Amino acid sequence: MGDPHEFRVLSTETVYEGRVISLERATVAMPGGGDSVREIVRHPGAVAVVAVDAEDRVVLVRQYRHPFGVPLWELPAGLRDADGEPPLETAKRELAEEALLSAARWSLLTTSYSSPGFCDEKVLIYLAEELSDVERPAGFVVEHEELDMTVDRVPLDEAVQRVFDGDIRNASALIGLLAAAQARVGNPRLRPVDSD
């Protein structure tokens, strides 16, 4: 018998392959004996950006989210779906596409596993500062939910209160806003911007 904490994958099977996600069924040998079937949502990963301007206002976008049937307040964010694009470059692109902004200073606030019990989505949440206006990137087409998306700037303290009021519920926004607020008062040591 192997290490008592060893989990071994005995088999995997792709059940569904979609445009963004796939569903995999894995049979895993349990350390105490026997095996168990796990269903895993495979996801390309994502980035989110806490963009804070010189007046300590954070950029929020309001976008319709079909699973809940309502628009949600979120951070500028997007999938890591461009082959070979480093996550920081994805964050820069998403900030330009969604908020028409660029930033001179970038930090990695934190990395989040959205729902590790069944999904491998990893979200890197960046802090973007020293903002300036930019044109929408060439070739980017605004379509679908983004046609109705609105952009607002809210004082960071107010955005944090909106988390506690239940007005902001998107997980990346919750994590990013609270991390940015803590970074302002606690001065934590942030990881290098190219970390994962």
Side-chain angles (χ1 to χ4, degrees), residues 70-134:
V70 295
L72 297 177
W73 284 106
E74 303 179 349
L75 299 172
L79 296 173
R80 293 193 54 210
D81 56 358
D83 283 342
E85 184 176 61
L88 178 59
E89 295 307 310
T90 304
K92 290 177 178 180
R93 179 173 51 80
E94 290 293 341
L95 184 61
E97 289 173 356
E98 294 188 358
L100 302 176
L101 292 170
S102 68
R105 189 166 52 150
W106 289 84
S107 305
L108 179 61
L109 278 172
T110 191
T111 303
S112 168
Y113 295 146
S114 300
S115 192
F118 70 89
C119 182
D120 71 351
E121 180 184 26
K122 177 170 67 173
V123 182
L124 287 89
I125 303 173
Y126 293 92
L127 176 63
E129 299 172 288
E130 300 174 18
L131 305 179
S132 58
D133 295 332
V134 295

Side-chain angles (χ1 to χ4, degrees), residues 86 103 128 135 179:
E135 295 292 319

Side-chain angles (χ1 to χ4, degrees), residues 3-83:
D3 181 302
H5 298 288
E6 181 181 341
F7 292 84
R8 287 183 300 109
V9 177
L10 302 174
S11 66
T12 60
E13 163 193 14
T14 300
V15 177
Y16 171 78
E17 188 76 41
R19 184 182 67 79
V20 175
I21 63 162
S22 62
L23 178 62
E24 178 181 286
R25 184 179 296 124
T27 303
V28 182
M30 297 287 116
D35 56 71
S36 184
V37 174
R38 296 289 184 252
E39 293 171 339
I40 306 153
V41 174
R42 297 291 183 195
H43 188 281
V47 298
V49 181
V50 182
V52 181
D53 68 16
E55 297 172 40
D56 212 33
R57 297 177 303 171
V58 65
V59 176
L60 296 175
V61 297
R62 191 163 193 252
Q63 184 173 358
Y64 175 76
R65 293 302 188 186
H66 189 68
F68 293 98
V70 295
L72 297 177
W73 284 106
E74 303 179 349
L75 299 172
L79 296 173
R80 293 193 54 210
D81 56 358
D83 283 342

